[in-house]
């Protein structure tokens, strides 16, 4: 592969954590620059996330509408959630999120893509899965609360979502990356070219 991101770690001369929250924290590092100067960098420390582009047999994508307070918007998104346990298998986390948020399960799972959401200010890494062969989960729905209690659900044709992204009507990063990546896959080498669901993920190593 001609172009690829490579791991690298510049020297840190000092580090402090001025804020620790429930799931994330803020860290301040003094980092040695290539010219020898030291620059202070503040960033959010994040456990990592998974997201699921769930595609049904008619080519529709399962999406959810949820209030996001930092941006003061209700956003259409694909199911997603945090890696709650260090070293958690991301496939298991994705299956859990699809069940909890949409009451759906899938038989076919592939890795669609891996991204850093905001690498200039946060170390969050997200693995986006493609899930197919969907079916409703039997039994009672998972009990939701807080923002999720107001969540709406829809199934929308893939191309309609692509049009919404390009028109500036849809903004959630996992939805944007997911639908554009799947469109490229379907126009290119096909779903069978995608990595298996438990492909290695150096950004968040896990045990199979």
């Amino acid at each position: 592969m001609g172009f690829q991101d490579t791991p690298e770690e510049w020297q840190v001369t000092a580090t402090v954590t001025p804020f620790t929250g429930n799931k994330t924290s803020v860290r301040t590092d003094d980092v040695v620059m290539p010219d020898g100067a030291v620059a202070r960098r503040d960033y959010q420390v994040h456990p990592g996330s998974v997201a699921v582009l769930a595609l049904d047999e008619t080519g529709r994508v399962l999406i959810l509408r949820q209030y996001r307070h930092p941006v003061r918007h209700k956003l259409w998104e694909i199911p997603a959630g945090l890696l709650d346990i260090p070293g958690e298998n991301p496939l298991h986390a994705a299956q859990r999120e699809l069940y909890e948020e949409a009451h759906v399960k899938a038989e076919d799972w592939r890795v669609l893509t891996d991204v850093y959401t905001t690498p200039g200010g946060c170390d969050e890494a997200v693995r986006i899965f493609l899930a197919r062969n969907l079916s409703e989960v039997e039994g009672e729905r998972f009990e939701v609360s807080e923002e999720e209690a107001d969540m709406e659900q829809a199934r929308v044709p893939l191309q309609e979502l692509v049009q919404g992204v390009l028109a500036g009507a849809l903004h959630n990063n996992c939805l944007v990356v997911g639908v554009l990546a799947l469109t490229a896959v379907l126009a290119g080498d096909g779903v069978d070219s995608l990595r298996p669901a438990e492909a290695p993920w150096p950004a968040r190593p896990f045990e199979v």
Side-chain angles (χ1 to χ4, degrees):
M1 191 174 296
F3 291 91
Q4 59 182 346
D5 299 332
T6 54
E8 184 168 337
E9 189 166 350
W10 293 358
Q11 181 185 359
V12 174
T13 59
T15 184
V16 296
T17 304
F19 171 79
T20 300
N22 185 31
K23 296 290 186 179
T24 67
S25 61
V26 173
R27 183 175 297 162
T28 299
D29 289 344
D30 290 342
V31 186
V32 179
M33 298 290 112
D35 63 358
V38 176
R40 182 157 291 178
R41 295 289 178 261
D42 303 319
Y43 59 100
Q44 183 184 20
V45 178
H46 194 285
S49 305
V50 292
V52 184
L53 196 153
L55 188 70
D56 71 15
E57 68 282 357
T58 66
R60 298 177 303 167
V61 177
L62 189 158
I63 58 174
L64 308 167
R65 190 169 183 241
Q66 185 172 346
Y67 177 65
R68 294 301 187 183
H69 185 70
V71 295
R72 308 306 200 267
H73 270 70
K74 273 191 171 182
L75 300 179
W76 284 106
E77 309 177 350
I78 57 176
L82 298 176
L83 292 169
D84 292 327
I85 305 166
E88 181 178 15
N89 186 310
L91 174 60
H92 300 166
Q95 292 169 332
R96 179 186 69 235
E97 293 300 330
L98 186 60
Y99 158 66
E100 291 182 356
E101 294 193 345
H103 205 61
V104 166
K105 62 182 179 179
E107 298 302 321
D108 184 76
W109 290 82
R110 315 288 176 99
V111 174
L112 186 54
T113 190
D114 299 324
V115 296
Y116 291 116
T117 54
T118 49
C122 180
D123 71 351
E124 181 184 17
V126 180
R127 168 156 282 188
I128 304 176
F129 290 90
L130 172 64
R132 300 185 302 165
N133 299 341
L134 308 182
S135 60
E136 298 291 325
V137 177
E138 297 179 0
E140 294 184 7
R141 296 184 67 90
F142 181 81
E143 185 175 348
V144 296
S145 61
E146 299 176 345
E147 288 92 344
E148 292 182 355
D150 189 43
M151 189 180 291
E152 304 169 54
Q153 185 177 143
R155 295 194 183 195
V156 181
L158 175 64
Q159 191 55 39
E160 186 175 333
L161 294 177
V162 172
Q163 291 169 354
V165 168
L166 298 179
L170 298 170
H171 306 89
N172 174 264
N173 57 357
C174 290
L175 183 149
V176 170
V177 171
V179 300
L180 295 181
L182 180 58
T183 300
V185 167
L186 296 177
D189 295 331
V191 170
D192 288 341
S193 68
L194 292 172
R195 288 171 290 162
E198 296 194 291
W201 189 18
R204 294 294 184 274
F206 62 94
E207 302 242 342
V208 176

